[in-house]
Amino acid sequence: MKLYITKIILGTLFLLNTFISAQTLSKNQFQVKGNCEMCKDRIETAAKNAGAKSANYSIDSQTLTIETVDDKSADIILKKVAEAGHDNEKFKASDETYEKLPGCCHYERDSKTVSTIENHDQHQKNENEFYVKGNCGSCKARIEKAAKESGADFAEWNAEKQTVTLKFDPVKTSANKILKKIADVGHDNEKFKAPDSVYKNLPGCCLYDREIGFGEKNTKVHYEEETKKEDHSKHNHDSEEDHSANENSGEKSIEQVNIIGSKAATSISKKDAGLIFNIDKKELLKAACCNLSESFETNATVDVSFSNAVTGTKQLKMLGLDQKYTSLTKELLPEIRGLASAYGLNFIPGRWIESIQLTKGGSTVTNGYESITGQINTELIKHAEKSETSLNLFADFNGRAEANITHVEPINDHWTQTFLLHGNGTFGDTDMNDDTFLDRPKGTQINAAYLLNFNDLEHSGFGSHFGINFVKDERTSGQIGFDKNLSQKEQSLYGVGIDISRFQVWNKTGYVFKGKPYQSLGWMNQYVYHQQDSFFGLRNYAGKQHTYYSNLIFESILGNTNHKYKAGASFMYDGYEEDYLTNNFKRNEIVPGAFAEYTLTGLKYTLVTGARVDFHNLAGTQFTPRLNFKYDFTPQTILRLSAGRGFRTANVFAESQQYFASNRSIQVLQNGGNIYGLKPEVAWNYGASLQQEFKLFGRKSTIVADFFRTDFQDQVLVDLDRSPQQLTFYNLDGKSFANSFQTQWDFTPFKNFEVRLAYKYYDVQADYLDGRREVPFMAKNRGFVNLAYSTNKNNKGGFWSFDTTLNLVGKQRLPNTSTNPAEFQLPTYSESYAVLNAQISRNFNQKIRAYLGGENLTSYYQKNAIVDFKNPFGNYFDGGMVYAPIMKANLYVGLDVTF
């Protein structure tokens, strides 16, 4: 009997085991937020307790892989994971549960639109619906095309839900295969993440926020009610060409969306180890921004000096030091340096700029050795999914006018070309302080560029960018009535003439290795020819510069993507020929170099360390190490540290032209060096910053405080104090340093209203020949306020924008003029003053925008901008002592039209 019962039990168990084994286990991967090993343990335990046969959580990829008996149980498991405190793509943990997690487990969450556990049922995915990130109509076309190329019979991407609905024959393809293809073309989804290199090469409008969780509403797009109500059945979606046709004819596709902004106007990169500000073209529209020198009026980090009274030049300052210590690049290629130092900012029109990346402190060694206080890189307009032409017209009330035409056109799936044309002219005689001198030069500029882009990273792995640019700029300044067609010796009026021709051609080519999106090879080349012919009264200055630059970079990983490295070699050739008065200066600088950089990424930290060695034929062998470190105490609290060395060769004539319109004689006290008899400039820069995000008025608020110190190991000092009749250059013998402290607070008190407040403190001193002094023309204290408000968009995309910026500038030490007669002496320190700029703009729709603005609305101006202006050929004449605006309030108007 017992044997019989045992057989029955064993048989029953066998049948039960066979039945259980016959059930197919379903393996799925879901996005789940977490930080550390404690999170991993909690998530996996919750999943298994909820019925998962197996559960494995990856902290790096923020994914939970589970095996379940059927797909329906996945929802139960994810709900339990959320109840344990971890947001995921289907459910959001309650605030109370999240707050009870240990501090190390407080991952970054976005509560703007995600459904909580209680109300999640408002939207549930069906079995053929998958989360895919995107922004716009171009994303939709790309996603659906990729799906169909992978075998989907039907694919429809919904921008509002951020999902794609698929229909396919499981015999021919699979959901995983389709979603992998969608990721390969640049779109993160619930199964696969797009390669970083592919994502970064998407057009600007398609750069979705990668940190938003799956299932959360994408706030970068706006969904119109009439679009939702539209009869979708009348549209054909069988090809990408159909979408393009619909867009061009003005028809609405299934989920047409209007871009509100692909990213914030100015943002700090939270992922980069360095302190990097990304400035979008939306930020540039807040001011006149006619050229690069005017692109930082709403930015607190960069100080813009006011136009020189005679030459009209503006210079940037960062971390308390002159522009020459900041690496200024275009398309990551050396741009404003050498003979272009004085006027180069005027040669990049504001309407040509797509974005600006501003790095404080030492930048990466892959971009060269000249960066000491930071790097400012400008990217030109070159991305578009469809042909687009923009026209900008600008004029101010004092005789300045300009026009910009930009045209971006996709040639085919891989090729895009860009035409950029700029022209400006200053025709009015502006003399607001009645000193008989023009407050700004008159003249014209013609500037043209052509860009050609090839992108086939998705298939062949190749991408290339070609550019060519020509500039012709002619300026005349000095006393009103001066005739440039006559020589200075033939007339009594004092004049200044500056004629510049500039030509450059460049190429950047890259290759991403197949199957290895983390491994790439890039090669950049550029040639620049720059010529300047100028005179300042009776003194002449002319120069020519030939520059060839080449940079080869290989990037890969060591084991996994937590260990990345770059290595490469560079070459720089500068040929200079300068004439000043009767003196001729010639030199060739030849600089081959090599570099390597390693990036270590941990759970809460990123370390980037690198070094380069350059073999300068005149400055000797130079070793340049740099280090950046970022530590995330929490996702909202970020500490950054940096240290690095940089060196450069000083171009003493080109970089000091603002002092040429004076009676000062130039002296160079040689010190055995090979460049004007001077040694190269070498400095170390150290920095620390703390970034804190928090909620204020229910909205994101950010405070950043940073401190940087620059110590010069050697420096070419520009001494204006030895005598009001001398301009002296010599190498540092002692100490020279710059301390910079800045705190900035960005917040949004209410919808569409943005506030930016900043305070800066500088302590910049140097040991001159007669002792340590503060460096002149550098205010110790500066304040900054920027307010921006825009109305909601109407159904045509129209809205109003209002922007105002207040700069408070403390007193500055002025050069010593005590040996001049009393009437030609300057005070030891300048006055403090405030400058107010404001602009109102009206977007009538997505195609037409008009704006009205004012600069220096406080009308504060420097009354003694030119010393002894009545006798410009006398001993005391000096037009270089500028510390404040020299023009009163100036109004301007503009129009932007897109075709």
Side-chain angles (χ1 to χ4, degrees), residues 235-249:
H235 296 289
N236 184 346
H237 307 286
D238 289 337
S239 68
E240 184 174 9
E241 288 72 21
D242 291 325
H243 291 286
S244 301
N246 288 341
E247 290 177 6
N248 291 333
S249 65

PDB file of all heavy atoms in Angstrom, residues 235-249:
ATOM      1  N   HIS A 235      -3.232  59.693 -43.476  1.00  0.00           N
ATOM      2  CA  HIS A 235      -1.803  59.865 -43.743  1.00  0.00           C
ATOM      3  C   HIS A 235      -1.154  58.540 -44.113  1.00  0.00           C
ATOM      4  O   HIS A 235      -1.483  57.489 -43.570  1.00  0.00           O
ATOM      5  CB  HIS A 235      -1.094  60.451 -42.510  1.00  0.00           C
ATOM      6  CG  HIS A 235      -1.581  61.821 -42.177  1.00  0.00           C
ATOM      7  ND1 HIS A 235      -1.307  62.925 -42.933  1.00  0.00           N
ATOM      8  CD2 HIS A 235      -2.350  62.265 -41.133  1.00  0.00           C
ATOM      9  CE1 HIS A 235      -1.869  63.990 -42.396  1.00  0.00           C
ATOM     10  NE2 HIS A 235      -2.505  63.618 -41.305  1.00  0.00           N
ATOM     11  N   ASN A 236      -0.217  58.586 -45.008  1.00  0.00           N
ATOM     12  CA  ASN A 236       0.540  57.410 -45.409  1.00  0.00           C
ATOM     13  C   ASN A 236       1.905  57.458 -44.739  1.00  0.00           C
ATOM     14  O   ASN A 236       2.611  58.434 -44.859  1.00  0.00           O
ATOM     15  CB  ASN A 236       0.710  57.431 -46.945  1.00  0.00           C
ATOM     16  CG  ASN A 236       1.399  56.183 -47.438  1.00  0.00           C
ATOM     17  OD1 ASN A 236       1.976  55.439 -46.664  1.00  0.00           O
ATOM     18  ND2 ASN A 236       1.334  55.969 -48.743  1.00  0.00           N
ATOM     19  N   HIS A 237       2.298  56.387 -44.052  1.00  0.00           N
ATOM     20  CA  HIS A 237       3.551  56.390 -43.307  1.00  0.00           C
ATOM     21  C   HIS A 237       4.481  55.276 -43.762  1.00  0.00           C
ATOM     22  O   HIS A 237       5.265  54.766 -42.995  1.00  0.00           O
ATOM     23  CB  HIS A 237       3.269  56.235 -41.802  1.00  0.00           C
ATOM     24  CG  HIS A 237       2.280  57.238 -41.313  1.00  0.00           C
ATOM     25  ND1 HIS A 237       2.587  58.553 -41.137  1.00  0.00           N
ATOM     26  CD2 HIS A 237       0.970  57.105 -40.970  1.00  0.00           C
ATOM     27  CE1 HIS A 237       1.513  59.206 -40.690  1.00  0.00           C
ATOM     28  NE2 HIS A 237       0.531  58.347 -40.595  1.00  0.00           N
ATOM     29  N   ASP A 238       4.392  54.914 -45.006  1.00  0.00           N
ATOM     30  CA  ASP A 238       5.180  53.782 -45.454  1.00  0.00           C
ATOM     31  C   ASP A 238       6.643  54.114 -45.703  1.00  0.00           C
ATOM     32  O   ASP A 238       7.454  53.232 -45.872  1.00  0.00           O
ATOM     33  CB  ASP A 238       4.583  53.205 -46.748  1.00  0.00           C
ATOM     34  CG  ASP A 238       3.266  52.507 -46.468  1.00  0.00           C
ATOM     35  OD1 ASP A 238       3.064  52.108 -45.299  1.00  0.00           O
ATOM     36  OD2 ASP A 238       2.450  52.373 -47.395  1.00  0.00           O
ATOM     37  N   SER A 239       6.991  55.410 -45.773  1.00  0.00           N
ATOM     38  CA  SER A 239       8.378  55.760 -46.038  1.00  0.00           C
ATOM     39  C   SER A 239       8.718  57.089 -45.427  1.00  0.00           C
ATOM     40  O   SER A 239       7.865  57.896 -45.120  1.00  0.00           O
ATOM     41  CB  SER A 239       8.635  55.836 -47.560  1.00  0.00           C
ATOM     42  OG  SER A 239       7.930  56.927 -48.099  1.00  0.00           O
ATOM     43  N   GLU A 240      10.014  57.298 -45.253  1.00  0.00           N
ATOM     44  CA  GLU A 240      10.480  58.568 -44.697  1.00  0.00           C
ATOM     45  C   GLU A 240      10.169  59.706 -45.657  1.00  0.00           C
ATOM     46  O   GLU A 240       9.895  60.828 -45.240  1.00  0.00           O
ATOM     47  CB  GLU A 240      11.983  58.496 -44.439  1.00  0.00           C
ATOM     48  CG  GLU A 240      12.542  59.738 -43.758  1.00  0.00           C
ATOM     49  CD  GLU A 240      13.988  59.565 -43.388  1.00  0.00           C
ATOM     50  OE1 GLU A 240      14.592  58.565 -43.799  1.00  0.00           O
ATOM     51  OE2 GLU A 240      14.515  60.442 -42.691  1.00  0.00           O
ATOM     52  N   GLU A 241      10.155  59.409 -46.962  1.00  0.00           N
ATOM     53  CA  GLU A 241       9.849  60.449 -47.942  1.00  0.00           C
ATOM     54  C   GLU A 241       8.444  60.993 -47.734  1.00  0.00           C
ATOM     55  O   GLU A 241       8.180  62.179 -47.958  1.00  0.00           O
ATOM     56  CB  GLU A 241      10.006  59.910 -49.363  1.00  0.00           C
ATOM     57  CG  GLU A 241      11.450  59.674 -49.795  1.00  0.00           C
ATOM     58  CD  GLU A 241      12.057  58.470 -49.109  1.00  0.00           C
ATOM     59  OE1 GLU A 241      11.300  57.598 -48.638  1.00  0.00           O
ATOM     60  OE2 GLU A 241      13.288  58.413 -49.036  1.00  0.00           O
ATOM     61  N   ASP A 242       7.500  60.136 -47.320  1.00  0.00           N
ATOM     62  CA  ASP A 242       6.140  60.602 -47.077  1.00  0.00           C
ATOM     63  C   ASP A 242       6.121  61.631 -45.967  1.00  0.00           C
ATOM     64  O   ASP A 242       5.408  62.616 -46.033  1.00  0.00           O
ATOM     65  CB  ASP A 242       5.235  59.422 -46.712  1.00  0.00           C
ATOM     66  CG  ASP A 242       5.013  58.492 -47.895  1.00  0.00           C
ATOM     67  OD1 ASP A 242       4.950  59.011 -49.014  1.00  0.00           O
ATOM     68  OD2 ASP A 242       4.899  57.268 -47.686  1.00  0.00           O
ATOM     69  N   HIS A 243       6.904  61.409 -44.929  1.00  0.00           N
ATOM     70  CA  HIS A 243       6.949  62.359 -43.820  1.00  0.00           C
ATOM     71  C   HIS A 243       7.518  63.686 -44.285  1.00  0.00           C
ATOM     72  O   HIS A 243       7.030  64.745 -43.919  1.00  0.00           O
ATOM     73  CB  HIS A 243       7.809  61.793 -42.690  1.00  0.00           C
ATOM     74  CG  HIS A 243       7.179  60.616 -42.026  1.00  0.00           C
ATOM     75  ND1 HIS A 243       6.127  60.721 -41.168  1.00  0.00           N
ATOM     76  CD2 HIS A 243       7.455  59.283 -42.124  1.00  0.00           C
ATOM     77  CE1 HIS A 243       5.779  59.523 -40.733  1.00  0.00           C
ATOM     78  NE2 HIS A 243       6.570  58.634 -41.318  1.00  0.00           N
ATOM     79  N   SER A 244       8.580  63.622 -45.074  1.00  0.00           N
ATOM     80  CA  SER A 244       9.170  64.860 -45.570  1.00  0.00           C
ATOM     81  C   SER A 244       8.181  65.627 -46.419  1.00  0.00           C
ATOM     82  O   SER A 244       8.077  66.844 -46.341  1.00  0.00           O
ATOM     83  CB  SER A 244      10.434  64.547 -46.382  1.00  0.00           C
ATOM     84  OG  SER A 244      11.372  63.863 -45.583  1.00  0.00           O
ATOM     85  N   ALA A 245       7.439  64.907 -47.239  1.00  0.00           N
ATOM     86  CA  ALA A 245       6.464  65.586 -48.081  1.00  0.00           C
ATOM     87  C   ALA A 245       5.405  66.259 -47.243  1.00  0.00           C
ATOM     88  O   ALA A 245       4.984  67.384 -47.528  1.00  0.00           O
ATOM     89  CB  ALA A 245       5.830  64.569 -49.037  1.00  0.00           C
ATOM     90  N   ASN A 246       4.939  65.566 -46.204  1.00  0.00           N
ATOM     91  CA  ASN A 246       3.931  66.163 -45.329  1.00  0.00           C
ATOM     92  C   ASN A 246       4.443  67.420 -44.668  1.00  0.00           C
ATOM     93  O   ASN A 246       3.752  68.412 -44.555  1.00  0.00           O
ATOM     94  CB  ASN A 246       3.501  65.144 -44.267  1.00  0.00           C
ATOM     95  CG  ASN A 246       2.652  64.036 -44.859  1.00  0.00           C
ATOM     96  OD1 ASN A 246       2.105  64.189 -45.939  1.00  0.00           O
ATOM     97  ND2 ASN A 246       2.565  62.915 -44.146  1.00  0.00           N
ATOM     98  N   GLU A 247       5.706  67.373 -44.197  1.00  0.00           N
ATOM     99  CA  GLU A 247       6.267  68.546 -43.528  1.00  0.00           C
ATOM    100  C   GLU A 247       6.395  69.705 -44.499  1.00  0.00           C
ATOM    101  O   GLU A 247       6.092  70.844 -44.176  1.00  0.00           O
ATOM    102  CB  GLU A 247       7.638  68.195 -42.944  1.00  0.00           C
ATOM    103  CG  GLU A 247       7.549  67.254 -41.752  1.00  0.00           C
ATOM    104  CD  GLU A 247       8.908  66.870 -41.237  1.00  0.00           C
ATOM    105  OE1 GLU A 247       9.904  67.424 -41.740  1.00  0.00           O
ATOM    106  OE2 GLU A 247       8.998  66.031 -40.332  1.00  0.00           O
ATOM    107  N   ASN A 248       6.862  69.424 -45.713  1.00  0.00           N
ATOM    108  CA  ASN A 248       7.088  70.501 -46.662  1.00  0.00           C
ATOM    109  C   ASN A 248       5.784  71.120 -47.145  1.00  0.00           C
ATOM    110  O   ASN A 248       5.746  72.294 -47.510  1.00  0.00           O
ATOM    111  CB  ASN A 248       7.878  69.980 -47.872  1.00  0.00           C
ATOM    112  CG  ASN A 248       9.293  69.627 -47.478  1.00  0.00           C
ATOM    113  OD1 ASN A 248       9.830  70.177 -46.530  1.00  0.00           O
ATOM    114  ND2 ASN A 248       9.899  68.712 -48.214  1.00  0.00           N
ATOM    115  N   SER A 249       4.729  70.348 -47.181  1.00  0.00           N
ATOM    116  CA  SER A 249       3.458  70.883 -47.659  1.00  0.00           C
ATOM    117  C   SER A 249       2.645  71.513 -46.550  1.00  0.00           C
ATOM    118  O   SER A 249       1.575  72.043 -46.796  1.00  0.00           O
ATOM    119  CB  SER A 249       2.649  69.767 -48.315  1.00  0.00           C
ATOM    120  OG  SER A 249       2.293  68.780 -47.347  1.00  0.00           O
TER     121      SER A 249
END
